[in-house]
Amino acid sequence: MVSFIVSIIVLIAGYFIYGKIIERIFGIDTERKTPAVLLRDDIDFVPLPQWRVFLIQFLNIAGLGPIFGAIAGAMFGPAAFLWIVLGSIFAGAVHDYFSGMLSLRHNGLSISEVVGIYLGPNVKQIMRLFTVALLIFVGTVFLVGPAKIINGMTGDMWNLWIWVGVILAYYILSTLLPIDKLISKLYPIFGMAMLLMAIGLLVALLFGDYKIPELNPGNLRNMTTNPDETPLFPILFVTIACGAISGFHSTQSPLMARCIKNERCGRGIFFGTMITEGIVALIWAAAAMTFFGNVSELNNAMLANDNNAAWAANEISLHMLGGIGGILALLGIVAAPITSGDTAFRSARLILSDVFKSNQKKIKNRLYISIPLFVLAFSLTQIDFGIIWRYFAWSNQTLATVVLWTITAYLIFESKAYWVTLFPAIFMTMVCSTYILIAPEGFELANDIAYWGGALITLCTIILFWTYVMRKKAVSRSMKETFS
């Protein structure tokens, strides 16, 4: 219990202390007009109150990540607490803040375009394809997943594909309509429901008869059933993504960068929502470790139920929160993925509109871009859900890694403290490269070979990155001297 409480305190302190440091490094300008004001179109560029933007961003980035990912991560034991806390503060929140603020500084540009500014046109083209593919994966996962959950809750009252059609219809509306007409109305409600569910679990954990395992040297090990098949590094760091660091967040931040009224709101909205998500993930991880008795019993229960995190989340909610838990579980476990799916499609539309320089004021322009996205996503629903999810998990963390390198380049070019993202970028490069070498959906290499391979890829990445930024900085300096 002590480790759990200390972890929450450290996360909160991280927002006020490290968040302020990151804000100073970036250097906000409270007099600078934001894209919401300069480019207002009442479709995507719409000034919104800070509290509303906070709740929309929180639900955008959260979805089921801090619930399902935290439950799956809890199977590793209290080591999950350490990754959630350190990852949220020093990687996730920094990633989210800079990706959001750089979009803000570049007129609300999508993350792929921001990457291109600092890492070059070749990387930009790759990132355009990569981010749109990732967002379609997210939309597809959160199209079929919630439909299956609703179908199960209603006892197969309707055919599964009817629910898929209903959710798809909502996605179409939320992608096309102005952001203040549907999303800004529904998201605060669902966001509050998700926060209330987490607060309810926190109260139950603190005052109920639950024993949360402590984070100590004896418990800082891989507690999964088959540790050789699921090594703590790198599997844990991909399993818990949205509760620590997630590339998906950087695709969502430009949506809110187009709605923020003043740069001073950035820390609360971008850094703050990531810390909030970390706290939610911490609560769910603790609940999973204690509700079933201990970490070993959690692993047994998950194994008996096909590692179904949705089942575990439902059991925890209903039994720890009572009758009200069923309502909150319905809102959280069903609404959360839907509200990530709709903004995934909206983000994809905005990325493609940036690529094709398409003015989104006219509905026909939004339709031209959106219809192919929905057709492609629906066709992907015919593929096994598990396959899509596994590739999403890796591609999600890979995107976060590329964005961290992008921010590092920006900080170097601006002669600012680039170490705040350099070290997380190196770490996540090692995580992603090792994961794809070791995972079943990757090359399935032996652990030792994968670790050496991951280290080699990481070293090559550092050398290539450093060569590129130093060359570009030298060219920039030379041009300044020429025209001075």
Side-chain angles (χ1 to χ4, degrees):
M1 181 70 79
V2 174
S3 301
F4 173 67
I5 295 173
V6 169
S7 295
I8 292 178
I9 293 172
V10 171
L11 279 170
I12 295 171
Y15 169 75
F16 288 103
I17 299 173
Y18 199 61
K20 193 67 177 177
I21 291 172
I22 295 300
E23 185 181 58
R24 285 176 180 170
I25 290 173
F26 178 77
I28 63 170
D29 181 357
T30 57
E31 301 300 318
R32 187 188 185 104
K33 289 186 177 180
T34 64
V37 177
L38 283 174
L39 304 174
R40 180 168 185 167
D41 63 1
D42 292 322
I43 302 294
D44 299 307
F45 293 88
V46 183
L48 295 175
Q50 184 175 352
W51 68 269
R52 193 177 290 275
V53 178
F54 176 92
L55 287 172
I56 295 172
Q57 174 71 358
F58 171 67
L59 209 55
N60 277 355
I61 67 172
L64 289 176
I67 301 177
F68 287 8
I71 291 172
M75 296 168 69
F76 288 85
F81 291 160
L82 200 59
W83 170 230
I84 290 170
V85 173
L86 296 180
S88 293
I89 296 172
F90 298 106
V94 175
H95 165 277
D96 289 13
Y97 178 79
F98 276 111
S99 62
M101 295 304 288
L102 284 177
S103 175
L104 193 73
R105 284 284 175 91
H106 293 286
N107 292 328
L109 276 181
S110 304
I111 191 60
S112 58
E113 308 308 296
V114 174
V115 169
I117 291 171
Y118 297 103
L119 294 186
N122 293 331
V123 179
K124 177 172 69 174
Q125 298 302 334
I126 295 171
M127 286 298 292
R128 282 172 169 175
L129 293 172
F130 194 84
T131 51
V132 171
L134 174 66
L135 290 167
I136 292 173
F137 277 156
V138 173
T140 304
V141 165
F142 291 151
L143 177 61
V144 179
K148 287 182 176 179
I149 295 171
I150 297 172
N151 196 48
M153 287 180 171
T154 56
D156 295 321
M157 181 178 70
W158 289 356
N159 182 279
L160 171 66
W161 295 104
I162 293 178
W163 289 117
V164 169
V166 170
I167 295 171
L168 183 61
Y170 166 74
Y171 283 177
I172 293 171
L173 289 174
S174 59
T175 301
L176 297 176
L177 289 175
I179 197 166
D180 62 334
K181 300 303 180 188
L182 189 59
I183 288 177
S184 72
K185 299 290 193 301
L186 292 178
Y187 273 43
I189 299 171
F190 294 136
M192 286 303 300
M194 195 170 183
L195 288 174
L196 287 172
M197 181 164 55
I199 292 170
L201 288 175
L202 176 61
V203 172
L205 286 169
L206 294 178
F207 299 101
D209 187 21
Y210 298 102
K211 187 177 180 181
I212 303 173
E214 297 294 345
L215 181 61
N216 55 47
N219 282 338
L220 197 60
R221 57 186 174 85
N222 191 339
M223 294 186 176
T224 56
T225 306
N226 297 305
D228 289 335
E229 294 182 10
T230 55
L232 193 145
F233 184 92
I235 306 298
L236 172 64
F237 303 94
V238 175
T239 301
I240 300 180
C242 290
I245 180 172
S246 166
F248 176 66
H249 296 187
S250 66
T251 68
Q252 301 303 289
S253 294
L255 270 70
M256 295 301 96
R258 302 180 184 209
C259 299
I260 292 176
K261 294 180 179 180
N262 193 288
E263 286 192 0
R264 71 165 64 91
C265 303
R267 181 162 64 101
I269 290 168
F270 298 123
F271 204 101
T273 51
M274 181 63 242
I275 295 297
T276 304
E277 186 180 20
I279 294 173
V280 171
L282 197 69
I283 292 169
W284 275 98
M289 289 182 206
T290 58
F291 174 75
F292 296 96
N294 53 46
V295 177
S296 177
E297 290 301 317
L298 165 65
N299 276 276
N300 292 335
M302 289 291 283
L303 184 63
N305 289 275
D306 300 319
N307 289 319
N308 188 343
W311 166 82
N314 195 49
E315 288 292 304
I316 292 169
S317 299
L318 292 175
H319 289 88
M320 291 185 70
L321 298 177
I324 192 67
I327 299 172
L328 292 175
L330 179 65
L331 286 172
I333 298 172
V334 175
I338 291 175
T339 52
S340 286
D342 61 5
T343 50
F345 285 115
R346 192 179 185 95
S347 296
R349 172 175 68 78
L350 294 178
I351 290 172
L352 292 174
S353 70
D354 285 343
V355 171
F356 297 113
K357 303 293 187 294
S358 173
N359 189 319
Q360 296 295 282
K361 184 75 173 177
K362 295 180 179 179
I363 185 67
K364 68 174 185 178
N365 291 343
R366 283 173 263 159
L367 283 169
Y368 289 152
I369 293 176
S370 301
I371 289 175
L373 294 174
F374 290 118
V375 171
L376 183 56
F378 185 78
S379 64
L380 287 174
T381 61
Q382 310 306 307
I383 300 175
D384 179 64
F385 177 85
I387 294 174
I388 295 176
W389 179 258
R390 288 198 300 271
Y391 282 105
F392 159 69
W394 173 78
S395 57
N396 179 47
Q397 295 302 71
T398 301
L399 175 58
T401 304
V402 175
V403 173
L404 284 171
W405 284 114
T406 301
I407 300 164
T408 305
Y410 156 76
L411 292 172
I412 291 174
F413 296 148
E414 295 294 321
S415 300
K416 295 181 178 180
Y418 61 85
W419 55 268
V420 296
T421 52
L422 175 63
F423 294 125
I426 293 171
F427 178 77
M428 289 305 298
T429 302
M430 184 67 182
V431 167
C432 294
S433 55
T434 306
Y435 182 87
I436 200 63
L437 294 175
I438 210 170
E441 60 271 21
F443 294 94
E444 294 188 86
L445 299 179
N447 290 6
D448 290 344
I449 297 174
Y451 292 142
W452 280 107
L456 180 61
I457 292 172
T458 302
L459 179 60
C460 291
T461 301
I462 294 170
I463 294 171
L464 287 172
F465 170 80
W466 202 257
T467 302
Y468 170 78
V469 295
M470 289 298 104
R471 184 170 64 245
K472 187 171 180 179
K473 195 170 184 181
V475 170
S476 176
R477 185 166 51 245
S478 176
M479 290 179 65
K480 287 180 180 178
E481 290 173 355
T482 300
F483 292 102
S484 62

